[in-house]
Every structure is written in C-alpha cells, then in structure tokens.
C-alpha cells in the first residue's frame, strides 16, 4: 500500500530503538498485519491509533514478544528479537503494560512491584534475602508513591479497584527504569481524574524514555504523543504529528466509515 | 520479620504442638508414638510437598507418591547385600541415602521439566500419567524392585530404635514446614506465586516461567524423597503395589482433608487419615453398622466428601472458622461502647487461597 512508507520516521542521526520490518501476522486465513514497517526513535513518544480490528494490539504483541510474526523482522536496540520470547525484553530495557490489568492478585502491591524489579534484575533465582533484595523492596515503596498507591502497599493486588490496578500496572512498568515502555491502552476504563493522573505520570517520565502507546482514547493519545501512527486493516495508513493526524481526511474517513461511500 | 512479629498466636500454638510432640514418647504408648505418630509425620511430610506445589506454584501434583517410592526403592537396591532382592549393591547405609536422594531429585527434575509447560488440569493429568508409568516401571522391571518387592530393609544404625525414627520424622517435618513457609517470602517463593497468578505476565517481566516450575517440582521431589526414605525404614520393605494409584490418591486426599493451601493441614490431614485407618475397627459396635475394615475407604471417602462440601479449605479452614466464631462475640461486646456507624472490626474474608 502506498501509505505504508508514511509510517517511517524522518531520517535522523541516531538508530531506531525499535525497528519493525515488513511484519505480517496471519491467524489462520485472517491477515492481522500486512507488512507493517515502523521505526521508533530513542526518546520518541509514539501513539498507534486505529479502529477496532486494525491490528494495533497484534503489532503491539509482536513488538512485546508475545506473538511471533508469520513473516518480517523485529529488532530492539539493533538486536533481532523476532523469535525471542517476551522474557528477553526486560533485559533490553523494555517494559510493558497490559490492556486488561494483569497483576498478581494473591500478592501485595509491594510484592507485585518487587517482582517487576526482581525479574529485571535477574535475581529471581536467589533464594535468600540480601542487601539487593532489601533495596528492591524499598524501591517498591517509592514506585508505589509515584503511582498513588503508597497507602495500598500491603494490600493484596486482588483487592484493588480497576483504576488502582491500572496504576499498579504502570508502576510495575516504571519500577525498573526502562528505556522503552510499551503501554497497551493505558487509559481504558479509567475515570477522568484517573486519566489526568496517568497523563501526569507519563509526562513526568525522563525525556530519553521511549514510549509506545496503543490508545483508543484520542485525548490521551494526542496529549502524550509527538507522533501518531494510524492503522486500519492491518496496515499503517498515515503518520504525523497529532495536529497533522487530526486534520487528515484519511483518518476521518477511517473513523467515520465514509470510505465505503466515497 | 522481627522476633516480635513472629510471636503470633498461630506460631505460639505451633511451637506448643512441637513441644508436646517432643515430649510425646514419654507421654503416650509406644504403639501410638511409633505407629500412629511416625506414620503421620512421614505422610504429612509427603503431603506437604503437594501443598507446597499447589499453594505457591498452582501445580496439583499426583507424582509425589511415585517420587516417595523412587527414594525407597533406590535405598533398598543400594543398601541391601547379596542374597536379597533388588540390585544388592551392598553400599554403606549413608551412601545409599545419598544415592536415593540424588536419584529422586534428578528424576523430579526431569519429570518437572517435561511438565513445566502444562498447567491446571493438564498438569494434574500429566503427573497422573507419571504415577501410572512409574508404577509399571517398578512392577515390570523386577531387577530394581525385586520380584514382589524389596524386603528386610534395615535402617541406618543411628536410627535403630523406633523412637529415633519418630524423632527423625519430627525433625524433618519441622524443617520442611519452616522451610516451605519461609520460602514464600524469598525471591524464589514470590516468583513462584507470581507464576501461579499470571505466568504470561511473569514472562513479560523477564522470568523464566518453565524453569521456576521445574525447580519447584525438583525441590518438592527432594523433600518427598526424604519422606520416602523414612517410609522405607519404617516399613522395612517396599513393593510396587505400595506406589500404585490407590496410595497416590490417598496422599492427595490427605492434603485435601487438611486443606490444600495450608502447610499445617498436610500433617493434620495425615493424622486424621492414620487415626481413622488405625482405630476405626476398634470403635465399639462399628461392625454392626456395616463398617468393617474392608469398608475403610468408604469412610475416608465420606470424610473427604463432607470436607469438600462443608469446607473446601479442609480441616484448617474449619479451625479458622471456629476460631473466628469464638472471637467474634467478644469483639462485638467490646464494640457496643463506641457506638459508631457500621462497626467493622477484624473483618476477614477468604477468597480461595488468599487470606487478606
């Protein structure tokens, strides 16, 4: 498709932190992604938007390592990660959240964040507590404060409200100090106040942190992102600054469904 | 945790139980100590490994009794001298202990690695398959199981008198109990619980989920191997029938009677099982209502059924509830003076294995 190249970012000096090359994903006879190309530069804030079924989540899962693509290549920081399982991503400084909060409901908020730290530090095989261990536990408290969960530190995650679970998800991603954060619809199901908090946390991240978010909520996507990629039918349709994308007639057509009649 | 933090009522009660058990040989009959209690400790130790896997890693294993038997057979093969059944390696007793434990742990590692990608009902089925295969391996390869089992197995001299075997059972039980409990707070224990709650999330955090499951299974195999050694010393013999499906299920039943998410429950369940097994026939008039020794499994079945319906948390759950009921009237009386709206004190609610 002619528009595919539009997703490529403008040439710049540094190498992309995430490279997606001609990625195709087929579920049986359904092509969820059709040769998608995408470069994400270090420190970039990129939002991928598009209607339901556009392939946003599939693209996200390919980048996160949960789905291996049928064809194509994914590289993180220059390393080919196409067929590497998701557990190798944290070592490359990649953290992710899930659309539906996946917290460890039998464990406390502190232990949830602690596990995020332990997995990243690769100290999870250590059987005994150590000074590193103690430091991770205190870092967990600091992270909980960042995501407004300081008061719930010793509550089981299973008892948190939906919005709080999303905050915990975000905390678990932030905890390890990742270079790249993949956020899968971080604003879905949040109240207006919670959404403001989310934006506040995301805006407070260090400028060198790369953000990729998939978002249904245009408000959040346009406020956080510097660049917006629009997907439809498994392809990237257009890309540009939030202002450009908002004016793009193609995008209006995709979202309002006038393409068929045009 | 501080020393003060450890002084909960639960821990004090458990410490008191251990003190009573230490003094038991001078309080109770030799039969009660050497038959009932030693067996309770051995079965409790084995059932605790089922609880460990179920509670922390969400894996319900039916292969524990097989590993229990592997340790027994390996000890029998290694320790007995020529003329006996089995391989007759004739090693020193402690070398045979080491051999049995190493083989059991390696077998657990291999079986655990194969099963590490399955969860839930599939894991249960796979471990059932292990139990069946294991039974046939020992039943058909008579070189390692002696035709009709390995008999006249002597225990190491250190454990000669029966009461020493009781103390060995007590020591290993206490160590396993404390070990399993404190493991829950270590990095490895927390990671296992994470694997139980959401393996996909754990992988995305950088954990090797399959390796964690394998290591948990290996650790459980090591501990159940120790129980298997005690068992073969206590019995003096082991035969393939003793690790068939029947005994395998009994171990799971013991864990369910006690409460599959509580370590205390493993020994509690074993105690109830051994009590019923030992004393049921002695109850007056019991044979008049048709309960003879042959109907023993029916009685155990009814007990399990009653527990499943009344308290899925097993006997430990019943104890928790009774304690709650005893404490509540006192707490309510203390609350009347405050007169605040909706007095909510010490409210507890259990959701499955989670007790906030």
């Amino acid at each position: 498709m002619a528009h595919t190249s539009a997703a490529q970012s403008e040439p710049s000096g540094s190498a992309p932190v995430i490279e997606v090359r001609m990625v195709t994903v087929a579920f049986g006879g359904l092509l969820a992604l059709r040769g998608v190309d995408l470069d994400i530069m270090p420190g970039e804030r990129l939002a991928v938007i598009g209607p339901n079924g556009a392939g946003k989540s599939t693209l996200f899962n390919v980048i996160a390592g949960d789905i291996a693509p049928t064809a194509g290549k994914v590289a993180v920081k220059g390393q080919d990660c196409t067929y590497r399982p998701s557990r190798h991503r944290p070592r490359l400084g990649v953290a992710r959240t899930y659309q539906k909060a996946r917290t460890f409901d039998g464990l406390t908020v502190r232990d949830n964040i602690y596990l995020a730290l332990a997995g990243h530090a690769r100290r999870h095989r250590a059987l005994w507590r150590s000074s590193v261990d103690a430091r991770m536990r205190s870092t967990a408290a600091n992270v909980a404060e960042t995501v407004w969960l300081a008061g719930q530190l010793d509550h089981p995650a299973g008892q948190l409200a939906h919005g709080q679970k999303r905050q915990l998800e975000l905390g678990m991603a932030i905890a390890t100090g990742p270079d790249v954060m993949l956020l899968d619809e971080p604003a879905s199901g949040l109240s207006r106040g919670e959404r403001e908090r989310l934006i506040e946390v995301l805006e407070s991240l260090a400028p060198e942190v790369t953000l990729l978010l998939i978002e249904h909520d245009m408000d959040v996507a346009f406020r956080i992102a510097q660049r917006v990629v629009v997907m439809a039918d498994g392809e990237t349709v257009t890309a540009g600054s939030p202002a450009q994308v908002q004016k793009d007639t193609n995008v209006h057509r995709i979202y309002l469904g006038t393409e068929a009649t045009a | 945790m501080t020393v003060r933090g450890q002084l909960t009522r639960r821990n004090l009660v458990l410490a008191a139980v251990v003190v009573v058990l230490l003094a038991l040989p001078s309080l109770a009959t030799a039969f009660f100590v050497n038959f009932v209690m030693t067996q309770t400790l051995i079965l409790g130790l084995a059932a605790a490994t089922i609880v460990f896997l179920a509670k922390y890693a969400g894996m319900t294993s039916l292969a524990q009794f097989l590993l229990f038997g592997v340790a027994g057979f390996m000890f029998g093969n290694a320790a007995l001298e020529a003329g006996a059944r089995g391989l007759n390696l004739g090693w020193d007793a402690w070398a045979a202990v080491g051999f049995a434990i190493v083989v059991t742990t390696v077998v657990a590692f291999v079986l655990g690695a194969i099963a590490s990608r399955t969860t839930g009902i599939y894991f249960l089925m796979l471990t059932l398959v292990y139990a069946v295969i294991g039974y046939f391996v020992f039943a058909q390869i008579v070189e390692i199981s002696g035709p009709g089992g390995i008999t006249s197995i002597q225990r190491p001299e250190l454990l000669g008198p029966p009461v020493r075997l009781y103390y060995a059972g007590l020591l290993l039980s206490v160590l396993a109990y404390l070990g399993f409990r404190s493991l829950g707070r270590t990095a490895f224990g927390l990671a296992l619980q994470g694997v139980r709650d959401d393996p996909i999330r754990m992988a995305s955090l950088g954990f090797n989920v399959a390796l964690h499951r394998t290591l948990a299974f290996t650790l459980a195999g090591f501990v159940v191997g120790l129980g298997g050694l005690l068992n073969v010393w206590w019995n003096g013999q082991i035969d393939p029938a003793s690790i068939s499906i029947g005994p395998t299920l009994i171990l799971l039943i013991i864990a369910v009677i006690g409460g599959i998410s509580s370590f205390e429950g493993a020994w509690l369940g074993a105690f109830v099982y051994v009590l019923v097994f030992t004393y049921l026939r002695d109850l007056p008039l019991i044979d008049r209502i048709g309960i003879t020794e042959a109907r023993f499994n029916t009685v155990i079945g009814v007990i399990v059924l009653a527990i499943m319906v009344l308290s899925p948390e097993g006997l430990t759950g019943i104890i928790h509830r009774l304690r709650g009921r005893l404490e509540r009237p006192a707490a309510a009386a203390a609350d009347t003076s405050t007169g605040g709206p909706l007095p909510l004190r010490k409210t507890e609610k259990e959701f499955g294995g989670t007790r906030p």
Side-chain angles (χ1 to χ4, degrees):
Chain A
M1 197 181 190
H3 293 297
T4 311
S5 60
Q8 306 276 357
S9 73
E10 313 80 78
S12 80
S14 54
V17 66
I18 289 177
E19 278 179 81
V20 176
R21 285 281 167 276
M22 290 305 287
V23 162
T24 298
V25 173
F27 297 115
L30 175 80
L31 275 176
L33 292 179
R34 305 160 190 254
V36 172
D37 279 312
L38 184 67
D39 277 346
I40 307 174
M41 304 311 286
E44 193 174 14
R45 307 284 153 105
L46 174 72
V48 176
I49 64 169
N52 283 330
K56 306 185 297 288
S57 286
T58 307
L59 175 64
F60 189 92
N61 285 328
V62 168
I63 295 173
D66 280 356
I67 298 177
T70 316
K73 185 189 144 192
V74 177
V76 177
K77 293 184 179 168
Q79 290 194 40
D80 186 354
C81 287
T82 316
Y83 300 107
R84 275 208 217 169
S86 60
R87 73 184 155 87
H88 291 285
R89 298 292 195 275
R91 283 173 220 168
L92 296 167
V94 179
R96 73 165 290 180
T97 66
Y98 286 84
Q99 186 179 345
K100 189 174 168 290
R102 299 187 86 134
T103 52
F104 307 114
D105 288 353
L107 299 176
T108 61
V109 168
R110 187 197 302 273
D111 289 342
N112 270 267
I113 301 172
Y114 168 82
L115 278 180
L117 290 163
H120 178 72
R122 300 184 63 190
R123 279 198 36 85
H124 45 275
R125 285 193 280 280
L127 272 167
W128 311 111
R129 284 168 139 188
S130 65
S131 57
V132 180
D133 206 54
R135 211 178 316 141
M136 285 199 279
R137 283 173 211 266
S138 68
T139 310
N142 294 338
V143 172
E145 207 158 314
T146 312
V147 291
W148 291 278
L149 287 172
Q152 281 76 28
L153 208 50
D154 292 309
H155 290 210
Q159 286 189 342
L160 296 181
H162 174 78
Q164 290 177 316
K165 277 196 178 187
R166 304 308 304 263
Q167 284 162 240
L168 177 55
E169 273 272 323
L170 190 63
M172 287 163 76
I174 291 174
T176 57
D179 305 328
V180 182
M181 280 176 66
L182 311 174
L183 307 174
D184 193 354
E185 300 210 11
S188 78
L190 294 189
S191 69
R192 186 192 291 255
E194 288 166 337
R195 217 178 312 160
E196 290 303 317
R197 282 177 167 190
L198 170 74
I199 292 172
E200 198 181 308
V201 171
L202 293 182
E203 282 177 341
S204 72
L205 291 171
E208 61 270 21
V209 175
T210 311
L211 267 186
L212 166 66
L213 62 144
I214 290 203
E215 199 40 85
H216 241 77
D217 190 314
M218 296 293 173
D219 184 34
V220 173
F222 288 144
R223 276 173 70 183
I224 296 294
Q226 300 156 341
R227 186 160 69 106
V228 177
V229 170
V230 184
M231 288 186 75
D233 291 326
E235 289 168 310
T236 49
V237 176
T238 186
S241 70
Q244 284 171 326
V245 167
Q246 270 170 310
K247 275 184 263 164
D248 195 306
T249 46
N250 252 335
V251 178
H252 285 262
R253 228 182 283 152
I254 291 163
Y255 268 91
L256 298 173
T258 48
E259 201 167 24
T261 54
Chain B
M1 208 184 280
T2 59
V3 176
R4 188 177 280 269
Q6 301 278 16
L7 287 176
T8 59
R9 190 190 305 198
R10 175 174 168 224
N11 287 350
L12 289 176
V13 168
L14 288 167
V17 168
V18 172
V19 169
V20 170
L21 289 176
L22 280 172
L24 198 66
S26 47
L27 301 173
T29 63
F31 173 78
F32 186 76
V33 172
N34 300 330
F35 189 85
V36 174
M37 288 314 293
T38 305
Q39 203 183 357
T40 295
L41 291 170
I42 293 168
L43 288 175
L45 185 61
T49 66
I50 293 186
V51 172
F52 162 69
L53 288 174
K55 181 184 169 82
Y56 286 162
M59 300 148 73
T60 311
S61 168
L62 282 173
Q64 298 317 102
F65 214 77
L66 166 66
L67 296 167
F68 191 74
V70 168
F73 275 117
M74 289 307 126
F75 179 83
N77 279 308
L80 291 190
E81 289 177 20
R85 289 164 172 175
L87 291 175
N88 304 321
L89 296 176
W91 294 356
D92 173 70
W94 292 107
V97 168
F99 175 70
I101 291 300
V102 168
V103 171
T104 310
T105 310
V106 169
V107 169
F109 179 81
V110 173
L111 296 184
I114 297 170
S116 65
R117 286 173 202 284
T118 60
T119 51
I121 189 80
Y122 302 101
F123 180 82
L124 186 81
M125 294 306 291
L126 194 54
T127 53
L128 177 64
V129 169
Y130 288 164
V132 174
I133 292 174
Y135 164 71
F136 281 112
V137 164
F138 283 108
Q140 296 183 350
I141 305 177
V142 290
E143 286 80 6
I144 56 167
S145 63
I150 300 175
T151 52
S152 336
I153 297 173
Q154 301 292 318
R155 42 184 181 259
E157 249 164 61
L158 180 71
L159 301 172
V163 72
R164 290 211 189 153
L165 193 60
Y166 165 78
Y167 278 121
L170 183 58
L171 178 71
L172 289 180
S173 291
V174 169
L175 287 180
Y177 174 80
L178 294 177
F180 281 146
R181 248 182 75 175
S182 50
L183 189 72
R185 295 301 313 156
T186 64
F188 178 68
L190 281 172
L192 276 186
Q193 294 170 72
V195 167
R196 172 200 65 198
D197 285 353
D198 193 336
I200 293 172
R201 179 59 152 148
M202 283 301 278
S204 79
L205 288 178
F207 289 89
N208 186 336
V209 169
L211 182 66
H212 275 80
R213 290 206 181 110
T214 306
L215 291 179
F217 197 79
T218 309
L219 178 65
F222 169 75
V223 176
V224 85
L226 295 174
L229 282 177
L230 292 178
N231 180 58
V232 81
W233 293 334
W234 180 75
N235 257 321
Q237 58 162 19
I238 184 163
D239 62 279
S242 68
I243 60 162
S244 62
I245 288 304
T248 294
L249 290 176
I250 281 166
L251 201 60
L252 185 65
I253 282 170
I254 284 173
V256 170
I257 290 176
I260 197 130
S261 61
S262 110
F263 289 117
E264 299 89 342
W267 284 274
L268 195 58
F271 185 55
V272 169
Y273 174 80
V274 177
L275 277 188
V276 172
F277 185 78
T278 311
Y279 293 112
L280 186 70
R281 69 193 94 172
D282 296 339
L283 288 182
L285 302 177
I286 195 89
D287 49 341
R288 295 277 181 84
I289 56 168
I291 297 175
T292 59
E293 234 169 291
R295 301 264 165 84
F296 164 72
N297 280 331
T298 313
V299 175
I300 286 289
V302 168
I303 291 176
V304 171
L305 197 64
I307 279 176
M308 299 271 241
V309 172
L310 298 175
S311 167
E313 291 287 293
L315 289 177
T316 338
I318 293 176
I319 291 171
H320 277 305
R321 249 184 276 170
L322 286 179
R323 220 185 63 192
R325 206 161 289 176
L326 287 177
E327 281 170 6
R328 222 161 288 150
D335 268 346
T336 48
S337 54
T338 60
L342 281 176
L344 268 175
R345 295 281 152 85
K346 287 196 79 167
T347 310
E348 275 192 9
K349 176 80 188 131
E350 288 185 25
F351 299 106
T354 317
R355 204 155 62 82

